[in-house]
Amino acid sequence: MSTTDFDLVVIGGGPGGYVAALRAAQLKLSVAVVEGNHLGGICLNWGCIPTKALLRASEINHLLHDLGQFGFTVDNPRFDFEKVVARSRAVSKQLSGGIGHLLKKARIPVFNGFGKLNGTDGKKRKITVALNDGSTTELKAAHVILATGARARVLPGFEPDGKFIWSYREALVPDILPRRLLVIGSGAIGTEFASFYRNMGSEVTLVEVADRILPVEDEEISKLAHTAFEKQGMKILTSAKPGPLSKGKDDVTVEITTARGTEKLTFDRVISAVGIVGNVEKLGLENTKIEADRTHIKTDHLCKTGEPGIYAIGDVAGAPWLAHKASHEAVMCVEAIAGLPVHPIDITKIPGCTYCRPQIASVGFTEAKAKAAGYQIRVGRFPLIGNGKAIAMGEPEGLVKTVFDAKTGELLGAHMIGAEVTEMIQGYVIARTGELTEAELKETIFPHPTISESMHEAVLAAYDGALHF
């Protein structure tokens, strides 16, 4: 056993953990990271990044089959599926290595293993690390940040088996491009996989237990996404219960029950994307005052747990399960530890993005939630068919929607569906963060020609009326 003392030990090297360590080093705190797998966590290695690489490939495949509208002719466009997957893995590997370089540059030691809280030694917390080489070391720190992330929730009867039933991990490194694919769950993860495989040529059935797909999004956006996906050839079943499942030699048959009855459908593969559970096991929480609620650690507005000196950030600390939320929590938490003034996070100012085709992005209150919260609202809508750049790009389908407080002019929420909206939502996020009203937004000049002009038009539509529709 070797012992090393630090101001801060971060357990977990994902987008919350490694950012916390980097910020701590900037603030001259001695800090170490404990990571048992790959730096960058699920996001970089098995989530955000590799899925975007795959989705980019599927967008290209779609475009290759739709070049006629631009005056091009391509005979029998083909792809090498193994190379498509290999590129996504290479992208993840490159970025994971980049994080290692950043930590090394900041002189932050990384302990490759799994950390567990193990009591105190005076004013210091003890962390026992089971290293991947089989040895053990003990770290001590005045402060500990738990950033252990989360993993896929397992749907009973649809446990991943490495062949027929996939979690997001198997779906990212598939053994085949399935001809018939069932995706269970229409949140961001399920919708992105459904979009990728459909645009690569799979026959996709998307099943959702709620009464609409993308249930956390504004209802109007959900309906537009539903229409767009069906137009692409996707089969969508809502208010649906999947199971039981029976396995054959080369495929599986699944019973799916809806209000119309029960039908048996056969698929080559099934992706289960029904949420996530926090990684709270084997952290030594049982000997602390830390509380977990449905696998997520309870924290206050500054990420403090019930145990003094121990904090939790990112997915393990609960929704929203977003990498950028984890990174922002990391900075806020470390700055609070360092004694700097900080602003607690307002989750209504955190954007959410889904990178399907068409893309979806939102921030703040939906129309329904704004009404439920008691606001008198003004709603603006602008369809992308009225935007010159969208038409020029061949991407005229979509909508930008704004929700304002009718009394104060505060932007309560914004919801977008269409080409590149994930790159534009930040404009509305800045407006929410800066507490801008319709007055400032109406006076903001948007460059022409850009799809972002639709954001301005959606503001005008809530008040004097859009100019171009």
Side-chain angles (χ1 to χ4, degrees), residues 64-369:
L64 286 171
H65 289 81
D66 194 36
L67 289 176
Q69 64 168 315
F70 299 101
F72 292 87
T73 300
V74 178
D75 295 327
N76 191 27
R78 300 181 302 278
F79 58 82
D80 186 324
F81 194 56
E82 288 187 6
K83 289 183 178 179
V84 169
V85 174
R87 177 182 177 273
S88 74
R89 302 315 308 157
V91 169
S92 290
K93 183 178 180 180
Q94 177 184 346
L95 290 173
S96 181
I99 291 172
H101 172 73
L102 289 173
L103 294 174
K104 184 177 180 180
K105 180 181 176 182
R107 297 183 178 179
I108 299 170
V110 177
F111 293 84
N112 298 309
F114 295 86
K116 180 178 181 180
L117 299 172
N118 192 22
T120 61
D121 182 0
K123 295 183 179 180
K124 295 267 187 172
R125 292 282 167 183
K126 294 193 296 183
I127 305 97
T128 299
V129 182
L131 296 168
N132 292 342
D133 64 9
S135 63
T136 302
T137 190
E138 184 174 273
L139 310 180
K140 294 181 182 180
H143 306 277
V144 179
I145 293 179
L146 303 176
T148 51
R151 62 188 183 277
R153 183 183 299 277
V154 175
L155 181 66
F158 292 85
E159 294 81 3
D161 61 8
K163 184 177 181 182
F164 294 121
I165 306 173
W166 294 345
S167 69
Y168 59 84
R169 283 181 177 260
E170 292 83 9
L172 283 167
V173 286
D175 57 334
I176 64 167
L177 175 61
R179 182 172 67 85
R180 302 161 300 178
L181 175 68
L182 171 64
V183 179
I184 303 173
S186 71
I189 296 172
T191 300
E192 287 183 5
F193 277 124
S195 189
F196 166 70
Y197 280 101
R198 180 68 198 112
N199 282 290
M200 295 303 289
S202 298
E203 298 171 7
V204 174
T205 298
L206 181 61
V207 169
E208 171 57 52
V209 67
D211 61 358
R212 59 188 176 94
I213 63 171
L214 296 156
V216 302
E217 298 293 344
D218 186 271
E219 186 172 357
E220 195 168 354
I221 300 299
S222 293
K223 289 180 179 178
L224 289 170
H226 189 127
T227 300
F229 295 158
E230 285 191 330
K231 186 177 179 181
Q232 294 169 19
M234 200 181 296
K235 181 176 182 178
I236 299 175
L237 299 173
T238 56
S239 301
K241 179 182 177 182
L245 172 149
S246 59
K247 298 179 183 180
K249 181 181 179 182
D250 299 310
D251 52 30
V252 296
T253 299
V254 182
E255 291 187 17
I256 301 176
T257 302
T258 65
R260 296 186 296 274
T262 299
E263 58 182 324
K264 290 185 177 182
L265 299 174
T266 301
F267 305 95
D268 300 300
R269 296 291 186 271
V270 176
I271 296 176
S272 178
V274 291
I276 63 175
V277 293
N279 294 323
V280 297
E281 302 86 357
K282 299 180 181 180
L283 288 176
L285 304 187
E286 61 276 6
N287 298 318
T288 70
K289 297 178 182 178
I290 297 172
E291 295 183 58
D293 178 21
R294 290 172 291 180
T295 78
H296 296 289
I297 295 173
K298 290 185 177 181
T299 63
D300 69 4
H301 61 291
L302 294 178
C303 301
K304 295 179 181 178
T305 70
E307 186 75 17
I310 301 180
Y311 312 78
I313 63 173
D315 288 355
V316 76
W321 299 288
L322 300 166
H324 44 281
K325 173 253 195 182
S327 296
H328 197 87
E329 281 182 331
V331 172
M332 179 193 70
C333 183
V334 170
E335 290 182 349
I337 289 171
L340 300 179
V342 297
H343 296 283
I345 293 176
D346 178 351
I347 63 171
T348 70
K349 295 175 182 176
I350 301 175
C353 297
T354 304
Y355 299 81
C356 47
R357 186 178 68 84
Q359 293 182 6
I360 295 165
S362 60
V363 65
F365 291 87
T366 64
E367 180 178 353
K369 287 186 177 179

Side-chain angles (χ1 to χ4, degrees), residues 446-461:
F446 286 75
H448 175 80
T450 62
I451 301 179
S452 70
E453 290 175 279
S454 299
M455 298 170 65
H456 189 229
E457 293 277 11
V459 172
L460 298 179

